[in-house]
């Protein structure tokens, strides 16, 4: 479980401890989606607060409060802030993407019984890479539409993407069947 963090209220200026909910029963896909959604909302909040458009900023804050209330039963208090308080560096983000997505490898292998393990591994990572390519493209479009896709944001996205690709290459290297295993797999398939 993550360590508690403090969130400073923009209305009161005081820090309140945020206790993360034990999310060990939440599926990796649900976690990934909620983290992605939180990142988009956090980016929107930052842009809105920096735009000096106070009425829309109030709307956004109010909407976030409503969203937190709706998510409270499944994700605990301040679900969006808890998701946004994680390590959002390129390294942290890439690590979560690789860990969550490669966690499905055993299930993928079970869906391809009797196939060459090396080919299954490559198909799996190709499938993940297609999803990552699509996700990064969509994230870039969202950030571009918010007019924040420049400078550090753009370079951090590029760095995160490169780290994810390296993570997948490392995953392939770690799971590549050794020559003896490949021969044994071929013998049992025949």
């Amino acid at each position: 479980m993550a360590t508690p963090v403090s969130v400073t209220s923009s209305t009161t200026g005081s820090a309140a401890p945020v206790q993360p909910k034990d999310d060990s029963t939440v599926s990796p896909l649900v976690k990934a989606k909620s983290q992605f959604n939180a990142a988009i909302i956090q980016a929107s909040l930052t842009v809105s607060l920096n735009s000096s458009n106070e009425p829309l900023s109030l709307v956004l804050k109010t909407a976030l409060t409503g969203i937190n209330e709706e998510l409270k039963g499944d994700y605990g208090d301040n679900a969006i802030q808890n998701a946004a308080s994680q390590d959002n560096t390129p390294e942290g983000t890439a690590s979560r993407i690789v860990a969550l997505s490669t966690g499905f490898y055993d299930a993928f292998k079970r869906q391809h019984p009797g196939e060459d393990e090396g080919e299954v591994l490559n198909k799996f990572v190709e499938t993940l890479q297609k999803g990552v390519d699509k996700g990064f493209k969509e994230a870039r479009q969202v950030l571009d539409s918010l007019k924040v896709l420049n400078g550090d944001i753009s370079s951090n996205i590029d760095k995160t993407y490169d780290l994810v690709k390296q993570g997948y290459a490392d995953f392939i290297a770690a799971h590549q069947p050794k020559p003896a295993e490949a021969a044994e797999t071929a013998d049992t398939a025949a």
Side-chain angles (χ1 to χ4, degrees), residues 89-128:
T89 64
E91 294 82 5
T93 302
S95 176
R96 280 191 309 281
I97 291 169
V98 172
L100 289 171
S101 61
T102 58
F104 294 101
Y105 182 53
D106 289 333
F108 190 86
K109 282 194 317 187
R110 284 192 299 272
Q111 292 176 347
H112 297 87
E115 292 183 36
D116 177 73
E117 192 170 337
E119 289 179 26
V120 170
L121 177 62
N122 288 331
K123 277 189 217 177
F124 176 69
V125 173
E126 285 171 14
T127 301
L128 296 180

Side-chain angles (χ1 to χ4, degrees), residues 13-131:
S14 63
V18 176
Q19 295 294 327
K21 182 178 177 183
D22 178 13
D23 61 357
S24 60
T25 59
V26 178
S27 77
L29 181 60
V30 170
K31 285 181 195 177
K33 283 184 178 181
S34 68
Q35 290 168 353
F36 177 69
N37 291 339
I40 291 172
I41 290 170
Q42 185 65 35
S44 298
L45 178 60
T46 301
V47 169
S48 178
L49 292 175
N50 291 335
S51 70
S52 63
N53 191 345
E54 292 303 317
L56 289 180
S57 178
L58 178 63
V59 169
L60 181 59
K61 287 178 188 178
T62 306
L64 289 177
T65 301
I67 292 168
N68 273 331
E69 286 298 315
E70 291 299 315
L71 296 175
K72 187 175 186 174
D74 293 326
Y75 300 101
D77 291 335
N78 299 313
I80 292 172
Q81 290 86 342
N82 289 341
S85 68
Q86 63 195 326
D87 178 6
N88 291 315
T89 64
E91 294 82 5
T93 302
S95 176
R96 280 191 309 281
I97 291 169
V98 172
L100 289 171
S101 61
T102 58
F104 294 101
Y105 182 53
D106 289 333
F108 190 86
K109 282 194 317 187
R110 284 192 299 272
Q111 292 176 347
H112 297 87
E115 292 183 36
D116 177 73
E117 192 170 337
E119 289 179 26
V120 170
L121 177 62
N122 288 331
K123 277 189 217 177
F124 176 69
V125 173
E126 285 171 14
T127 301
L128 296 180
Q129 189 62 53
K130 285 179 189 174

